């Protein structure tokens, strides 16, 4: 089972067509809540963290979820592969995740 999070509304229609992938319209972050998602001219470059060198074409509120909450929400007891490509938020996500979550 593949679970993917895609906060960029411009990419969701394309990724929703991929078979065998459960797509959630969320951004993985260090904490649960909401954040502004910064849309880029390059759809693959959107982010919840804004870099001054980033060509932003708009912003949109998005729900964020921590790794702990995602595991609890989906009832995940183990994960074979966790791929993080979250434009620099990886460090905060890992730092704030409880050891028990990371051991899964």
């Amino acid at each position: 089972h593949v679970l993917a999070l895609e906060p960029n509304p411009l990419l969701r229609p394309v990724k929703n067509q991929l078979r065998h992938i459960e797509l959630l319209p969320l951004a993985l972050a260090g904490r649960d809540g909401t954040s502004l998602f910064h849309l880029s001219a390059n759809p693959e470059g959107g982010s919840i963290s804004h870099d001054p060198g980033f060509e932003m074409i708009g912003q949109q509120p998005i729900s964020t979820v921590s790794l702990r909450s995602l595991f609890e929400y989906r009832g995940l007891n183990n994960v074979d592969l966790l791929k993080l490509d979250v434009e620099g938020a990886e460090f905060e996500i890992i730092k704030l995740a409880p050891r028990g979550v990371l051991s899964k």
Side-chain angles (χ1 to χ4, degrees), residues 8-11 36-47 49-61:
N8 190 336
L10 302 174
L11 292 178
L36 282 178
F37 184 79
H38 305 281
L39 298 162
S40 169
N42 171 3
E44 297 285 334
S47 177
S49 58
H50 180 58
D51 179 341
F54 180 81
E55 183 185 346
M56 186 173 62
I57 61 169
Q59 297 176 323
Q60 179 170 338

Side-chain angles (χ1 to χ4, degrees), residues 52-75:
F54 180 81
E55 183 185 346
M56 186 173 62
I57 61 169
Q59 297 176 323
Q60 179 170 338
I62 187 74
S63 295
T64 61
V65 64
S66 68
L67 203 52
R68 177 184 189 168
S69 292
L70 179 64
F71 277 41
E72 288 174 359
Y73 169 69
R74 296 299 297 140

Side-chain angles (χ1 to χ4, degrees), residues 3-104:
L3 177 63
L5 279 62
E6 180 54 69
N8 190 336
L10 302 174
L11 292 178
R12 272 188 244 128
V14 174
K15 292 186 177 180
N16 270 331
Q17 295 175 13
L18 301 174
R19 294 181 181 191
H20 309 295
I21 295 179
E22 179 183 358
L23 189 65
L24 300 177
L26 301 167
L28 192 61
R31 295 178 175 83
D32 300 334
T34 58
S35 184
L36 282 178
F37 184 79
H38 305 281
L39 298 162
S40 169
N42 171 3
E44 297 285 334
S47 177
I48 59 173
S49 58
H50 180 58
D51 179 341
F54 180 81
E55 183 185 346
M56 186 173 62
I57 61 169
Q59 297 176 323
Q60 179 170 338
I62 187 74
S63 295
T64 61
V65 64
S66 68
L67 203 52
R68 177 184 189 168
S69 292
L70 179 64
F71 277 41
E72 288 174 359
Y73 169 69
R74 296 299 297 140
L76 301 174
N77 294 318
N78 71 311
V79 173
D80 294 322
L81 174 68
L82 174 66
K83 180 183 181 298
L84 298 175
D85 182 10
V86 288
E87 309 305 323
E90 295 89 347
F91 300 108
E92 181 182 36
I93 291 167
I94 292 170
K95 181 181 175 183
L96 296 176
R99 189 175 305 254
V101 170
L102 295 177
S103 69
K104 292 180 180 186

